[in-house]
Amino acid sequence: DIQMTQSPSTLSASVGDTVTITCRAGRSISTWLAWYQQKPGKAPKLLIYKASDLQTGVPSRFSGSGSGTEFTLTITSLQPDDFATYYCQQYHTYSRTFGQGTKVEIK
Amino acid sequence: EVQLVESGGGLVQPGGSLRLSCAASGFTFSRHAMHWVRQSTGKGLEWVSGIGTGGDTNYADSVKGRFSISRENAKTSLYLQMNNLRDGDTAVYYCVRDTGYWYFDVWGRGTLVTVSS
């Protein structure tokens, strides 16, 4: 399985900040990467697919970039609704794997 | 509205069995591959099993030989038969829709499976 490693594990930020989360793959996955947002007690929600394509209905303050083994999720002008845990997921192989998550908390 | 609703979770002893169901609505179920993904406190999100539109199945190594995924298109339902359950199978199990490009765009609310004596 392809290991996915996210950093940081926790990130403290304020409303209006720009935050960046990094996801590294154990081997090249081209751009077969998705990002999800999860709030407590809720299912994950798709934000970005193919590393940088925004899912319909997701605010444009979310953006993704990267290819190969290194990827980033950036949230510009953080909003109160954005405090949540974010996961990356590779789908280069059928056995999809997820990062361990990055919790974005209020500073 | 596109919706996935899981059921069948509960408390089961180690070695026991459980069958999860997922009722799909709001989309053409037969045209989508479907998956089960679980989430436990210790191991985060883990893909468990998937079934294609033609019924082809795949499993994570951790459940191969113990779990069986199936679908019934006429009932727009997905199932997961879980046998010989272990403590490590304790998790919330999500039913998930595959877009057709291998990433997941719709998730159910999940059903909790607790394996404990």
Side-chain angles (χ1 to χ4, degrees):
Chain A
D1 289 356
I2 299 176
Q3 185 171 359
M4 306 299 291
T5 304
Q6 286 181 235
S7 61
S9 296
T10 306
L11 190 160
S12 297
S14 303
V15 171
D17 285 352
T18 293
V19 300
T20 298
I21 299 168
T22 298
C23 176
R24 289 186 173 85
R27 61 179 172 92
S28 178
I29 59 170
S30 184
T31 55
W32 305 121
L33 185 99
W35 289 97
Y36 300 88
Q37 176 195 67
Q38 186 178 34
K39 297 180 179 178
K42 302 291 187 181
K45 171 190 171 184
L46 176 66
L47 299 175
I48 286 170
Y49 60 94
K50 208 176 177 189
S52 61
D53 290 348
L54 203 63
Q55 173 69 351
T56 302
V58 174
S60 59
R61 62 180 180 273
F62 291 91
S63 63
S65 65
S67 66
T69 62
E70 187 151 339
F71 304 86
T72 58
L73 172 70
T74 300
I75 312 171
T76 56
S77 188
L78 201 64
Q79 297 300 300
D81 191 49
D82 301 338
F83 292 96
T85 300
Y86 294 85
Y87 295 92
C88 61
Q89 178 223 336
Q90 67 81 18
Y91 51 101
H92 179 68
T93 61
Y94 196 95
S95 183
R96 285 77 153 177
T97 47
F98 296 84
Q100 80 280 14
T102 295
K103 183 178 181 180
V104 177
E105 61 181 24
I106 301 173
K107 184 185 287 184
Chain B
E1 180 193 4
V2 175
Q3 199 171 10
L4 299 171
V5 179
E6 303 92 338
S7 61
L11 175 64
V12 62
Q13 293 186 338
S17 297
L18 216 52
R19 189 194 195 208
L20 305 183
S21 299
C22 170
S25 59
F27 65 100
T28 306
F29 179 76
S30 61
R31 293 183 182 176
H32 288 265
M34 299 293 296
H35 302 261
W36 290 96
V37 173
R38 67 187 180 184
Q39 185 171 32
S40 61
T41 303
K43 297 175 78 173
L45 288 163
E46 180 186 16
W47 173 81
V48 172
S49 179
I51 184 166
T53 56
D56 49 303
T57 60
N58 285 275
Y59 301 92
D61 288 343
S62 58
V63 306
K64 202 172 291 183
R66 300 187 298 123
F67 289 12
S68 177
I69 190 172
S70 61
R71 65 190 298 160
E72 196 167 353
N73 290 339
K75 293 187 176 181
T76 64
S77 292
L78 178 72
Y79 306 101
L80 186 67
Q81 177 67 42
M82 304 186 294
N83 298 328
N84 191 20
L85 283 160
R86 306 167 179 169
D87 290 351
D89 295 320
T90 293
V92 174
Y93 284 73
Y94 293 103
C95 171
V96 175
R97 187 177 82 168
D98 191 314
T99 59
Y101 297 96
W102 282 25
Y103 60 94
F104 307 140
D105 65 340
V106 181
W107 296 61
R109 297 185 68 176
T111 187
L112 176 62
V113 172
T114 303
V115 183
S116 176
S117 53

